[in-house]
Amino acid sequence: MDMKYDFGMVGLGVMGRNFILNVSDNGFTAYGNDLDPEKVNALIEEGGDTSKVNASTDSKTFLEALSTPRKIMLLVPAGKIVDMVIESLLPNLDEGDLIIDGGNSFYTDTDRREAYLAKKGINFFGAGVSGGAKGARKGPSIMPGGNREAYQHVKPIFEAVAAKYQGEPCVAYLGPKSAGNYVKMVHNGIEYGLMQLTSEIYDILKKGADYNNDELHKTFDAWNKGRLQSFLVEITSEIFEQEDDLAEGRLVDQILDKAKQKGTGKWTSQNAMDLGIPVPSIDIAVSMREISALKDERIEADKLYDRPKVEKMDKSTMEKMAEESLYFSFIITYAQGLHQLADASKEYGYDLNIAEIAKIWRAGCIIRAGLLADISEAFEANPSLPNLLMSPTFVEKVQGTVDSTRELVAYGAKNGIPLPGLSNSLTYFDAYTSSRLPLNLIQAQRDYFGSHTYERLDREGIYHTEWEKE
């Protein structure tokens, strides 16, 4: 084959096909590979001009079509399939070629693959891609991590295809090893939290103030034009307008209340516990998806217990409280996720730039929001900021909204409306901003039953007491 293509893509599902077409739209030639001939043909047909976009089911033909060093992206399901694809490519790769895993792989898998391929002279990258199928086609947020020099080969392509925020591409080299996959994992954890919070606000507007779908649409649409401007608030407003094709009324009312998950939120939670970083707004979002899966048990349990009669609230009062509570809890969720990133950066040697990460999340990704511009500025002003709640800018934002959150959480508790995301966000805030917590009693208990020792307020050292009296 005389012509050589700039970029290769293995996996031509919706994400892979859209990403490769995006590459072609931005002036680079691209070649795809998939075992399914229908997907190969669909890409060739949609690409139109095979001198710009082409594809094959044959791995060797695919590799021969690429210019060197080859830049090959994988958009296949995380897990064993990634390893299988790598092994199928290896016999025909040359030293210096670059493989980029664009899926949601667990960060330790990325570290393992990078070390394995480095011994063979092959560069390996984990690059989180956020924005869904539309983002892949029109401009995603891309989070690459790996060898800095190897990134230079793909940098022009990634900067061209990425979403743009005020002209700046939403992609940046994040750090060595699995930095890219790790940042994408925490991005998804934050996403879980924001989605849970949005669903709770929807629930309380409906149950507490009888909002109908048109009112919900208008409310979320108005919020999206203000400080809550974000992709999730925007699509939420649109969801309430969608008519049902299969029945009367709006589609949202016919969707089963069982939320599925692919594991990235759970990974964020588990790893935060390993690091000793509290992320309760993310933890509870994962737990609520698990509770939602117990639909049959929930139906039976609902019959066994009385629920308070909901005291309806004035719409304007409710709307103000709901907007302030959602803004407050969005801030808290971002604060938790970024705290985890900062700690992981030290623990795993990523050397992450939190301000840079907030910048590349401003467009293209699922958690994009106006708030991220303020977050980026806060970390640019103080790169060693331990927590977003310590930023003077955010002190003002939080103090202006926390009282409404207290009222709304209390209202939910009194009326039997579960608000776990809001409650956990508020509790985290109250605990984090308390100079004295009752954990001294826990240390006393631990020392009592297990001689685990304790420290004192009034002097240095480690102490143990014989608590039991003979």
Side-chain angles (χ1 to χ4, degrees):
M1 184 179 293
D2 294 332
M3 180 183 169
K4 298 292 183 183
Y5 291 78
D6 301 320
F7 184 79
M9 173 67 74
V10 177
L12 300 178
V14 178
M15 282 288 288
R17 186 173 76 247
N18 281 357
F19 195 97
I20 203 171
L21 290 168
N22 185 357
V23 170
S24 172
D25 287 347
N26 281 283
F28 297 92
T29 56
Y31 203 99
N33 174 243
D34 199 290
L35 295 175
D36 186 344
E38 285 187 17
K39 289 177 181 174
V40 166
N41 293 332
L43 174 64
I44 293 171
E45 190 176 331
E46 197 169 346
D49 182 352
T50 53
S51 67
K52 293 180 180 177
V53 181
N54 208 337
S56 171
T57 56
D58 180 64
S59 175
K60 194 174 179 189
T61 303
F62 163 70
L63 291 173
E64 287 175 352
L66 301 175
S67 61
T68 54
R70 297 179 180 90
K71 296 165 283 293
I72 304 160
M73 190 167 189
L74 317 183
L75 273 172
V76 298
K80 290 181 181 177
I81 293 177
V82 176
D83 293 309
M84 288 167 62
V85 171
I86 290 169
E87 290 303 325
S88 72
L89 295 173
L90 263 179
N92 297 300
L93 291 178
D94 296 319
E95 195 170 321
D97 285 347
L98 172 61
I99 297 176
I100 306 151
D101 179 10
N104 285 326
S105 288
F106 192 53
Y107 73 98
T108 55
D109 287 340
T110 301
D111 288 334
R112 170 178 57 80
R113 289 165 187 147
E114 189 204 34
Y116 168 68
L117 289 168
K119 291 175 185 173
K120 299 177 182 296
I122 307 298
N123 294 302
F124 184 77
F125 250 78
V129 179
S130 179
K134 284 185 181 177
R137 187 72 181 86
K138 300 295 183 185
S141 172
I142 310 175
M143 296 156 246
N147 181 285
R148 187 185 287 274
E149 287 72 32
Y151 176 66
Q152 301 309 311
H153 294 301
V154 78
K155 181 182 177 184
I157 297 174
F158 275 9
E159 289 189 349
V161 303
K164 307 296 185 294
Y165 181 86
Q166 296 179 356
E168 291 183 51
C170 289
V171 58
Y173 171 80
L174 297 179
K177 302 184 296 182
S178 54
N181 279 128
Y182 192 93
V183 170
K184 177 60 163 51
M185 177 185 80
V186 174
H187 163 287
N188 285 22
I190 294 170
E191 179 185 306
Y192 272 55
L194 302 184
M195 291 172 77
Q196 175 62 32
L197 292 163
T198 310
S199 74
E200 291 175 21
I201 293 296
Y202 150 66
D203 197 35
I204 206 159
L205 287 171
K206 274 189 74 172
K207 290 175 179 171
D210 293 327
Y211 273 63
N212 61 36
N213 287 318
D214 287 329
E215 289 169 324
L216 288 165
H217 161 69
K218 286 174 185 171
T219 299
F220 277 87
D221 185 54
W223 288 351
N224 190 51
K225 293 178 172 68
R227 60 183 175 177
L228 276 168
Q229 185 278 318
S230 60
F231 174 71
L232 286 169
V233 170
E234 178 186 349
I235 66 167
T236 300
S237 76
E238 292 174 5
I239 285 167
F240 295 123
E241 279 195 307
Q242 182 66 45
E243 297 290 343
D244 190 347
D245 292 337
L246 302 176
E248 289 293 314
R250 302 288 167 86
L251 178 58
V252 69
D253 297 322
Q254 293 301 327
I255 296 176
L256 184 66
D257 55 322
K258 282 170 68 172
K260 293 183 169 60
Q261 53 183 320
K262 290 187 174 179
T264 45
K266 178 182 74 176
W267 293 345
T268 305
S269 244
Q270 288 172 330
N271 182 253
M273 289 187 184
D274 291 339
L275 292 171
I277 298 298
V279 292
S281 301
I282 296 170
D283 295 339
I284 198 65
V286 176
S287 293
M288 284 305 294
R289 294 199 189 191
E290 291 160 351
I291 290 174
S292 79
L294 307 175
K295 177 68 173 177
D296 293 340
E297 290 175 47
R298 289 191 287 118
I299 290 170
E300 291 307 308
D302 194 9
K303 297 171 186 174
L304 299 176
Y305 295 94
D306 294 331
R307 190 172 293 278
K309 187 175 187 301
V310 176
E311 296 175 17
K312 300 296 179 180
M313 192 185 288
D314 168 72
K315 276 188 166 70
S316 62
T317 305
M318 170 66 85
E319 191 167 318
K320 180 179 182 295
M321 284 173 55
E323 189 272 345
E324 291 182 3
S325 299
L326 190 56
Y327 187 67
F328 167 87
S329 50
F330 267 26
I331 291 171
I332 298 297
T333 305
Y334 280 112
Q336 292 171 17
L338 295 173
H339 188 191
Q340 181 171 348
L341 284 179
D343 200 77
S345 180
K346 295 173 195 159
E347 182 71 19
Y348 305 133
Y350 291 147
D351 195 25
L352 298 175
N353 182 328
I354 304 299
E356 187 84 72
I357 292 167
K359 278 185 176 180
I360 67 170
W361 286 348
R362 291 176 302 178
C365 71
I366 304 301
I367 65 169
R368 62 185 184 262
L371 197 54
L372 283 160
D374 297 329
I375 291 172
S376 181
E377 286 175 16
F379 281 95
E380 278 182 337
N382 181 4
S384 58
L385 195 66
N387 191 302
L388 193 60
L389 292 175
M390 304 293 275
S391 162
T393 307
F394 280 86
V395 169
E396 188 180 337
K397 295 178 191 299
V398 168
Q399 283 188 328
T401 52
V402 66
D403 288 346
S404 283
T405 311
R406 293 192 193 289
E407 287 186 52
L408 202 63
V409 167
Y411 171 85
K414 185 180 178 184
N415 290 280
I417 302 170
L419 300 173
L422 287 171
S423 302
N424 271 22
S425 298
L426 180 61
T427 300
Y428 171 87
F429 169 75
D430 283 336
Y432 186 79
T433 57
S434 292
S435 59
R436 180 83 168 151
L437 291 170
L439 282 292
N440 54 316
L441 177 59
I442 290 177
Q443 281 302 88
Q445 291 169 331
R446 293 179 74 244
D447 191 54
Y448 190 113
F449 66 68
S451 300
H452 292 298
T453 74
Y454 56 87
E455 295 171 271
R456 297 177 59 95
L457 289 169
D458 59 349
R459 64 199 70 193
E460 294 291 318
I462 304 297
Y463 296 85
H464 167 62
T465 295
E466 294 297 330
W467 299 85
E468 291 185 76
K469 295 179 176 60
E470 292 184 8

